[in-house]
Amino acid sequence: MKNTTIRLALLFALILGFTVAGCKKDSTTTGPSTQKPTAPVITVTGPKTQSSDTHALQAQSYAGMVNGFAGFAQPYAQMPGTQNGNVWTYTYTVGTFTVTMTATVATNGDAAWKLVYNGTEPGDTTVFHNWVAMEGTTTADGKSGNWKIYYLNSTVLEALFTFSTNAAGAVTSELAVYDEHSVLQAKYKFINNKDGSGELDLYTGTTLIQKITWTSTGSGSWWTYDNNGNQTGHDVWT
């Protein structure tokens, strides 16, 4: 996921800095009054521990990686948006390079998001012709949704991030990673409970190879499995 995800991460940081530096009020051009879509606020976390256990550290590291996908829409929702009917548009331009995020709001409040690159990226020679880098949907309350990330300048799916929130407030987040031939390579599934406890399931393709769980105080357990589902290891940390 190197090319696309690094570009997205740098771009999000740049846009977030821009929005913090100075935001203007949203403007409405034409069309009926439609509520601005809710950008999801999802935080993926690992165990809250200072343990040097390899698996505890692994869960924290993967949480940071997955968390990078969780809030990609937030910087755009903080930008000055232009409303035209049920479509909100957020645009950021540097030189001849333009990034456009659109959010199309359904009558029930759900939103369909699309991130488009156009022009030559600053500091690079890559040229984009209205390339869709990311797209996805979120529910009206911002508690469930999905993001699709595509390989650079292509329509081939590189990663799929999904999230949902249950009635108890537990958030399940899953990042699925694909190769250039659309074959699933790995999955990282997190469950974050409101009390700080959680779980991480790691998959190679569709095969579960590792499970890590932790309590609200940061202690935890882990299990490893072979390709046939047989347990190959287990231990705990405190």
Side-chain angles (χ1 to χ4, degrees):
M1 294 190 295
K2 183 177 179 181
N3 288 340
T4 302
T5 53
I6 288 178
R7 278 178 164 83
L8 289 172
L10 292 175
L11 183 63
F12 297 159
L14 182 65
I15 291 176
L16 184 57
F18 168 77
T19 60
V20 170
C23 291
K24 299 178 182 179
K25 292 183 178 180
D26 302 318
S27 61
T28 302
T29 55
T30 61
S33 176
T34 302
Q35 184 176 356
K36 189 177 181 181
T38 301
V41 180
I42 305 296
T43 303
V44 182
T45 60
K48 298 176 181 178
T49 178
Q50 299 299 316
S51 173
S52 60
D53 179 89
T54 300
H55 297 82
L57 296 175
Q58 187 179 28
Q60 292 173 337
S61 176
Y62 283 139
M65 178 189 69
V66 176
N67 200 45
F69 292 86
F72 94 91
Q74 293 178 44
Y76 300 95
Q78 296 176 40
M79 292 176 66
T82 299
Q83 181 194 358
N84 188 348
N86 67 329
V87 179
W88 285 81
T89 302
Y90 312 89
T91 303
Y92 183 75
T93 300
V94 179
T96 61
F97 180 62
T98 300
V99 179
T100 302
M101 172 69 83
T102 57
T104 303
V105 184
T107 54
N108 65 353
D110 293 354
W113 302 78
K114 183 176 291 187
L115 178 68
V116 177
Y117 285 15
N118 194 48
T120 302
E121 189 176 3
D124 203 310
T125 58
T126 305
V127 179
F128 302 97
H129 299 285
N130 292 316
W131 171 59
V132 177
M134 241 182 196
E135 60 185 336
T137 60
T138 55
T139 54
D141 57 10
K143 293 183 178 181
S144 300
N146 66 82
W147 311 133
K148 297 177 181 178
I149 302 95
Y150 298 99
Y151 275 99
L152 192 66
N153 261 342
S154 81
T155 59
V156 178
L157 185 66
E158 183 178 7
L160 172 63
F161 175 74
T162 59
F163 62 97
S164 61
T165 309
N166 67 17
V171 179
T172 298
S173 308
E174 181 177 290
L175 177 65
V177 181
Y178 300 84
D179 67 14
E180 293 88 341
H181 304 288
S182 302
V183 177
L184 179 64
Q185 297 296 294
K187 287 197 302 182
Y188 310 85
K189 180 180 179 181
F190 277 88
I191 299 175
N192 287 123
N193 300 309
K194 291 191 71 174
D195 66 355
S197 61
E199 178 179 324
L200 167 60
D201 296 333
L202 300 175
Y203 295 81
T204 296
T206 59
T207 302
L208 178 66
I209 60 170
Q210 191 171 329
K211 180 186 293 289
I212 304 171
T213 64
W214 56 91
T215 67
S216 59
T217 58
S219 61
S221 306
W222 59 264
W223 299 260
T224 55
Y225 307 91
D226 62 21
N227 290 334
N228 295 316
N230 300 310
Q231 184 177 309
T232 58
H234 170 62
D235 207 343
V236 300
W237 76 82
T238 57

